[in-house]
Amino acid sequence: MSVLFQTRKCLFKKPFNNTFCKYVFLRKNSDVPRKFVTFDEIVAQRRLEAQRSLVVQVNSESSFNELYGYCSKYASINDIHHYKNSGGENFMLIEFESEENLKEVLKSCCSHNKDHDLISVQSPFVWFRAAAGKKEKLVANGKNLAVKNGIEIIKEDVLYEELMNCETVSDQIQLLYDRTTLNDLGMRLRYMVARQLEVIFSSLYTNVRVQPFGSTVNGFGRMGCDLDLILTNTLTEEMTAAGRRLVFQEKRCEGGRGGARHMELAGALLELRVPGAARVVRVLNARVPIVKYAHDYTDLHCDLCYNNLSGAYMSELLWQLGELAPRARALAVLVRRWAARAGLTQPHPGRWVTNFPLTLLVLFFLQQSHAHLLPPLNLLVSCAGKEDTRIAEENLKCTFVRDLNKLPPESYGQNDDDLQTLLFKFFEFYSQFDFENKAISINEGRAIRKPNSLPLYIVNPLEQSLNVSRNVSHEECERLRLEVRNAAWHLESCPARSAEGWGALGLLERRAAPQLRRLLRLGTSHRLVSMRDLFREDDEPSVEGVRSKLRTLVKTDTEVETGVKEMKSEMVKEKRSDRMKFKNTQTANEVYRIRRGKIV
Ligand code: GTP
Ligand code: MG
């Protein structure tokens, strides 16, 4: 498995074991031909890495020499990675050569015994106390930090500047992916947070396993995305061997699917025994009960659930499809971001789409004959062997081929379209999709008849009787349809390179001029008010209308007048662009209708 991380000009492809290093200049898209490794191998590799790692809070980046010198008295160190959390606190993730090494270091840890009310807890999160008495000289023997400030998220204005300077729209899509995707340290920390729970819960659950799933591992995650975790168990062959005659007594517990009561317990443990865990919220009535918490040392928002293995297998499936068509990842990252900017997705759940069904939309599009980048899931199922059998909760069959090398090579990747072309085709495809009558099935790889009248029907690939977008309202589905048409229109009539909002930029920021953008920035959320928020659908965008709407949103008259001027010039530009030509007349007509309806 490789982790891609990038500087501005070049990409380093770094395998976990550092055995080879490939330098790729000016990569055009994210396809890197390689022999496939399995998801389980990658997860196992990451778990091992976490089992020999420790996160140490330090005073600053310059604590490196002292920390290295101190720890290397007890154990051999592979690497030390530095990062800061949003509170400005400094941490170093130390990866030791082996788990035995880490155990030696942990033996040397102590409790901060000044406060007698505290009973300390052993976990892989510790802090580095200043030396007492005479200071010993500790050095790093010429070693350097593997990474400094390693989880800093790129600032929006820097990202936009870089996107502005790209040569092509494909480069923009690739750059967005490379600059925002979850990096190596981000991934290590997520496995450390999982490891922490595993260590703390292990006295209560034999063979406990806490496993990340969702966008952390499915290949579509970005820096800062939430961390979905499953509390489950690993039944090794050793543990279930018939020859072993002394068997642990067990405690059965009511709670049905999702184990709400286990989550109650986990909630209490998180509050009382897990250092760094804060703001614990229990959501126990949901179909899959979860406990949400913030992990302050790593700045992660975590959702912990119990034994929801289908979620993990779903993540594995998405990861596999991303391996077969790496361009899917770059496309999905852009589509997810576009959807957030267009207000189609929200940070909280509701009657709108979420990132998961959006990702399925991208994958489904890439299965279509004109894209021919991905096979239908049914092919992965038919290629599965005995070793691929997986049964999740409630006897759910999650069997599909795990070794992708077994797939016929002609069943995927049969298309050289660049990212720009694929993105345009994606929006065009959904502009014309018959959402009223058809359901999206990545199992079949084609649209099927909708079994009911829910506005958006995306078949759950692992539980085909379910619709993963059952929550989406008619209004939200309609908004999705309008926005894909707007996006297709934008790409079709793309402003010249370097113009305001050219290429992918126009999809990633609100369609407002910079001054108006500043003006409309509301509250602390830093989210922009869209033009659409200024009008009801039946409103005419008269200058008076704009003025009165703006008055309700901003404070001073000067701000209102500046906004009105900006809006007027936007309206003139839009009127001019109404005359633009479309290759596809159906899209053109629809877009014209939408634009006349003042929804843009
Ligand atoms: P972000 O958190 O928004 O970055 O994306 P995500 O892919 O992690 O989505 P989310 O946190 O909402 O869900 C986590 C994972 O749960 C998804 O990746 C899926 O694997 C799984 N999942 C989400 N919704 C459903 C659903 O309706 N049915 C099933 N079976 N699994 C789901
Ligand atoms: Mg998630």
Side-chain angles (χ1 to χ4, degrees):
M1 155 62 182
S2 62
V3 180
L4 294 176
F5 54 104
Q6 191 204 21
T7 62
R8 258 187 91 172
K9 287 266 156 33
C10 58
L11 289 163
F12 300 88
K13 185 167 179 292
K14 184 189 169 194
F16 287 158
N17 58 14
N18 286 330
T19 50
F20 79 95
C21 185
K22 196 173 169 188
Y23 214 57
V24 188
F25 284 96
L26 299 175
R27 195 172 45 151
K28 287 292 176 201
N29 60 46
S30 40
D31 287 1
V32 181
R34 60 187 176 278
K35 192 170 180 314
F36 296 110
V37 289
T38 67
F39 182 78
D40 285 348
E41 283 173 293
I42 287 162
V43 170
Q45 185 74 266
R46 285 294 184 190
R47 283 173 58 79
L48 283 175
E49 215 171 66
Q51 280 163 22
R52 54 175 185 257
S53 300
L54 192 64
V55 178
V56 187
Q57 186 170 3
V58 291
N59 192 31
S60 75
E61 195 185 302
S62 49
S63 313
F64 169 70
N65 281 339
E66 212 173 332
L67 181 67
Y68 194 105
Y70 183 81
C71 290
S72 52
K73 286 200 295 188
Y74 300 94
S76 306
I77 293 170
N78 270 355
D79 265 325
I80 301 194
H81 308 246
H82 166 262
Y83 73 92
K84 277 186 195 175
N85 66 3
S86 56
E89 294 168 313
N90 287 269
F91 296 85
M92 297 209 180
L93 183 151
I94 311 177
E95 187 197 346
F96 295 97
E97 268 184 12
S98 67
E99 199 180 343
E100 291 312 308
N101 279 177
L102 174 65
K103 282 183 186 156
E104 284 306 308
V105 175
L106 286 174
K107 270 193 230 158
S108 79
C109 290
C110 68
S111 303
H112 186 57
N113 55 9
K114 281 194 183 138
D115 190 341
H116 293 289
D117 285 348
L118 285 181
I119 304 176
S120 65
V121 57
Q122 199 181 103
S123 99
F125 286 83
V126 299
W127 60 281
F128 193 38
R129 189 157 55 185
K134 196 169 168 256
K135 214 170 177 184
E136 189 186 353
K137 190 159 171 47
L138 295 165
V139 285
N141 285 335
K143 299 270 184 191
N144 291 315
L145 277 171
V147 55
K148 284 182 198 167
N149 220 354
I151 56 164
E152 195 179 23
I153 295 177
I154 185 169
K155 293 195 174 58
E156 289 282 290
D157 49 345
V158 175
L159 178 64
Y160 280 49
E161 185 74 34
E162 291 185 12
L163 289 169
M164 192 72 167
N165 293 333
C166 282
E167 292 290 322
T168 64
V169 178
S170 296
D171 288 350
Q172 286 184 319
I173 302 169
Q174 188 64 52
L175 183 123
L176 178 75
Y177 175 74
D178 292 333
R179 300 290 272 148
T180 59
T181 196
L182 197 54
N183 68 11
D184 175 58
L185 181 57
M187 189 68 91
R188 283 172 186 264
L189 288 175
R190 284 155 189 265
Y191 275 86
M192 288 308 291
V193 170
R195 175 75 188 151
Q196 183 189 36
L197 293 192
E198 217 169 81
V199 169
I200 292 173
F201 291 1
S202 60
S203 58
L204 296 170
Y205 297 90
T206 322
N207 292 332
V208 67
R209 180 181 167 108
V210 178
Q211 184 178 322
F213 73 109
S215 55
T216 294
V217 296
N218 68 16
F220 298 95
R222 60 178 170 81
M223 292 297 287
C225 66
D226 69 357
L227 170 60
D228 303 293
L229 293 167
I230 309 172
L231 175 65
T232 177
N233 65 353
T234 37
L235 285 180
T236 55
E237 273 176 32
E238 227 178 29
M239 274 301 289
T240 49
R244 296 191 168 198
R245 297 195 43 207
L246 296 176
V247 182
F248 290 117
Q249 297 282 7
E250 277 158 13
K251 177 101 186 159
R252 288 222 171 268
C253 159
E254 288 165 27
R257 183 172 173 156
R261 298 206 56 200
H262 286 282
M263 285 297 99
E264 267 174 42
L265 174 64
L269 287 169
L270 282 160
E271 279 168 342
L272 294 172
R273 304 306 297 148
V274 181
R279 302 180 286 288
V280 178
V281 178
R282 296 156 180 82
V283 187
L284 303 179
N285 297 330
R287 192 175 73 96
V288 180
I290 56 169
V291 180
K292 297 172 95 59
Y293 70 100
H295 195 275
D296 284 347
Y297 302 148
T298 52
D299 272 349
L300 289 171
H301 293 276
C302 310
D303 287 352
L304 175 69
C305 61
Y306 182 77
N307 243 345
N308 171 33
L309 284 177
S310 61
Y313 293 135
M314 184 78 81
S315 307
E316 181 175 15
L317 175 64
L318 296 196
W319 179 85
Q320 287 199 319
L321 295 175
E323 282 292 281
L324 289 174
R327 276 173 279 174
R329 293 184 177 148
L331 270 188
V333 164
L334 187 130
V335 167
R336 283 169 169 230
R337 210 174 169 102
W338 156 79
R341 291 296 185 274
L344 292 171
T345 53
Q346 303 286 341
H348 48 281
R351 293 174 68 72
W352 37 81
V353 281
T354 62
N355 282 332
F356 172 58
L358 273 177
T359 308
L360 293 182
L361 289 184
V362 173
L363 297 172
F364 178 73
F365 158 70
L366 295 176
Q367 291 175 324
Q368 304 312 297
S369 53
H370 50 266
H372 207 335
L373 277 168
L374 286 174
L377 173 56
N378 287 346
L379 183 73
L380 273 73
V381 174
S382 64
C383 291
K386 229 172 113 191
E387 66 288 1
D388 298 312
T389 305
R390 305 283 189 283
I391 307 292
E393 67 280 358
E394 294 189 347
N395 244 348
L396 200 63
K397 214 172 157 204
C398 300
T399 301
F400 46 87
V401 69
R402 265 50 192 198
D403 179 359
L404 295 174
N405 299 300
K406 290 185 185 161
L407 279 181
E410 65 282 2
S411 64
Y412 60 91
Q414 302 297 305
N415 178 328
D416 287 333
D417 279 350
D418 60 16
L419 289 168
Q420 171 174 6
T421 311
L422 286 175
L423 183 67
F424 175 71
K425 284 186 180 172
F426 168 83
F427 287 124
E428 197 183 40
F429 175 73
Y430 285 109
S431 297
Q432 293 161 20
F433 190 82
D434 180 7
F435 286 101
E436 250 135 66
N437 300 304
K438 299 287 184 189
I440 283 149
S441 162
I442 72 159
N443 304 70
E444 303 277 338
R446 62 180 176 83
I448 56 170
R449 184 188 283 276
K450 237 176 159 177
N452 59 34
S453 60
L454 283 170
L456 182 61
Y457 204 106
I458 304 176
V459 176
N460 182 328
L462 298 180
E463 258 180 296
Q464 290 180 56
S465 56
L466 300 181
N467 171 10
V468 300
S469 49
R470 63 197 167 279
N471 61 310
V472 176
S473 67
H474 273 282
E475 195 200 11
E476 289 297 324
C477 182
E478 201 52 32
R479 272 166 40 69
L480 173 68
R481 296 171 64 176
L482 298 182
E483 290 296 348
V484 291
R485 287 168 191 158
N486 286 340
W489 171 82
H490 170 79
L491 290 175
E492 181 92 325
S493 58
C494 199
R497 189 179 161 257
S498 297
E500 172 88 8
W502 82 278
L505 272 169
L507 303 177
L508 300 178
E509 56 177 2
R510 299 281 187 193
R511 304 189 63 220
Q515 249 180 323
L516 185 60
R517 219 181 296 144
R518 270 198 300 281
L519 176 71
L520 297 179
R521 222 181 279 272
L522 294 177
T524 52
S525 67
H526 299 289
R527 300 193 62 213
L528 299 174
V529 174
S530 108
M531 294 297 160
R532 160 179 353 103
D533 298 335
L534 296 172
F535 305 103
R536 283 200 314 274
E537 285 187 18
D538 52 351
D539 276 350
E540 274 301 308
S542 67
V543 169
E544 245 334 288
V546 173
R547 190 170 283 130
S548 78
K549 297 279 175 181
L550 282 173
R551 274 208 184 95
T552 65
L553 295 168
V554 293
K555 294 182 198 86
T556 67
D557 282 352
T558 338
E559 283 175 335
V560 170
E561 286 318 312
T562 324
V564 170
K565 270 191 213 147
E566 293 290 344
M567 191 73 117
K568 265 170 82 181
S569 83
E570 281 287 305
M571 280 153 48
V572 172
K573 268 192 231 155
E574 288 201 359
K575 229 176 162 179
R576 260 191 240 132
S577 58
D578 267 346
R579 290 194 293 269
M580 287 188 180
K581 283 243 167 356
F582 269 85
K583 279 188 209 128
N584 179 313
T585 39
Q586 188 187 340
T587 308
N589 291 340
E590 294 289 358
V591 169
Y592 185 62
R593 187 174 62 73
I594 298 159
R595 290 166 63 74
R596 278 187 27 164
K598 308 298 179 280
I599 291 167
V600 176

